[in-house]
Amino acid sequence: ETGVTQSPTHLIKTRGQQVTLRCSSQSGHNTVSWYQQALGQGPQFIFQYYREEENGRGNFPPRFSGLQFPNYSSELNVNALELDDSALYLCASSLDRRLYEQYFGPGTRLTVT
Amino acid sequence: GNSVTQMEGPVTLSEEAFLTINCTYTATGYPSLFWYVQYPGEGLQLLLKATKADDKGSNKGFEATYRKETTSFHLEKGSVQVSDSAVYFCALSEGGGSEKLVFGKGTKLTVNP
């Protein structure tokens, strides 16, 4: 059973650019949640996808968007990058939105210069 | 809105010392409470959970009791090991269908031999 994987591990972008982060959920999981973890802070909820539909969104602007594919992998897209978008982006997968059995990936470290 | 407050770190202890990391929360309704651990270079891992008042979560020698009267969920361990060095996050769940987690800022623990 493979765990949650994320790609890329690190990337550097310039302010104003766009970025796509990817997450492969654990086998059998149909729910993916995305979190932003700024340096020295706890993760903040961006949004959740359940069976390809958005199922809740945190306090993030519309330039943060996502997608979930039929195989339940997911993408996080961020447009018009700002310096404050620099953070570790975590995805977590679970079955049927079960928080108690939610598994996190190692994260993607995004640096915006 | 709902929030979680953790004691400020970092915390430095000697091996076999007693550990307490304080966590208090503000929430409407009856959230579930969690402790997550983040080892260096790894993703978040669920350490323990409690779903209702007076429940005690436990795992790997760590314990926390859901105290509704004091809105607290303090993490304790009787004898820490060097391998417990990590960042610990207290979190609560927000239900209502979105099943998102609200995290505290994290407490970094270093255990010296």
Side-chain angles (χ1 to χ4, degrees):
Chain A
E1 182 178 273
T2 57
V4 179
T5 59
Q6 293 185 242
S7 62
T9 305
H10 300 87
L11 76 166
I12 300 172
K13 290 287 189 177
T14 303
R15 191 170 49 184
Q17 286 187 315
Q18 178 266 344
V19 69
T20 297
L21 310 182
R22 295 178 175 82
C23 173
S24 291
S25 57
Q26 185 161 312
S27 178
H29 285 184
N30 55 20
T31 306
V32 172
S33 301
W34 285 92
Y35 291 83
Q36 180 196 65
Q37 185 179 7
L39 197 62
Q41 302 295 314
Q44 290 197 357
F45 177 76
I46 303 175
F47 42 58
Q48 181 185 84
Y49 280 85
Y50 172 58
R51 293 187 173 184
E52 303 180 60
E53 298 285 333
E54 186 177 291
N55 181 58
R57 188 179 180 91
N59 189 27
F60 280 80
R63 59 189 184 83
F64 284 78
S65 63
L67 193 59
Q68 187 177 32
F69 299 99
N71 66 355
Y72 301 129
S73 65
S74 178
E75 285 183 354
L76 164 65
N77 299 291
V78 186
N79 294 322
L81 283 167
E82 300 177 0
L83 297 179
D84 284 349
D85 296 334
S86 296
L88 180 68
Y89 289 84
L90 299 168
C91 79
S93 76
S94 63
L95 176 62
D96 294 339
R97 299 172 294 174
R98 295 173 189 171
L99 279 178
Y100 311 151
E101 297 166 10
Q102 181 171 228
Y103 296 92
F104 281 81
T108 293
R109 173 73 63 187
L110 171 65
T111 302
V112 182
T113 62
Chain B
N2 296 347
S3 65
V4 174
T5 303
Q6 286 181 240
M7 64 184 285
E8 297 270 336
V11 174
T12 302
L13 296 173
S14 298
E15 206 164 23
E16 299 184 3
F18 184 85
L19 169 71
T20 299
I21 301 178
N22 291 338
C23 171
T24 57
Y25 67 90
T26 301
T28 54
Y30 302 96
S32 294
L33 301 174
F34 305 82
W35 276 100
Y36 278 83
V37 58
Q38 190 172 37
Y39 297 104
E42 298 185 17
L44 287 167
Q45 298 177 24
L46 177 63
L47 181 59
L48 54 83
K49 66 181 187 293
T51 59
K52 60 184 187 296
D54 300 325
D55 266 4
K56 178 185 283 188
S58 61
N59 186 26
K60 299 181 181 180
F62 291 90
E63 294 183 339
T65 301
Y66 190 145
R67 301 286 188 199
K68 187 171 183 294
E69 63 276 13
T70 54
T71 61
S72 65
F73 193 56
H74 305 320
L75 182 68
E76 296 182 336
K77 186 174 186 181
S79 177
V80 293
Q81 305 300 313
V82 172
S83 58
D84 293 327
S85 297
V87 181
Y88 292 82
F89 293 92
C90 185
L92 62 81
S93 67
E94 287 194 352
S98 69
E99 304 299 333
K100 75 175 189 182
L101 291 169
V102 176
F103 286 88
K105 292 185 176 182
T107 302
K108 182 176 181 180
L109 170 67
T110 300
V111 181
N112 295 318

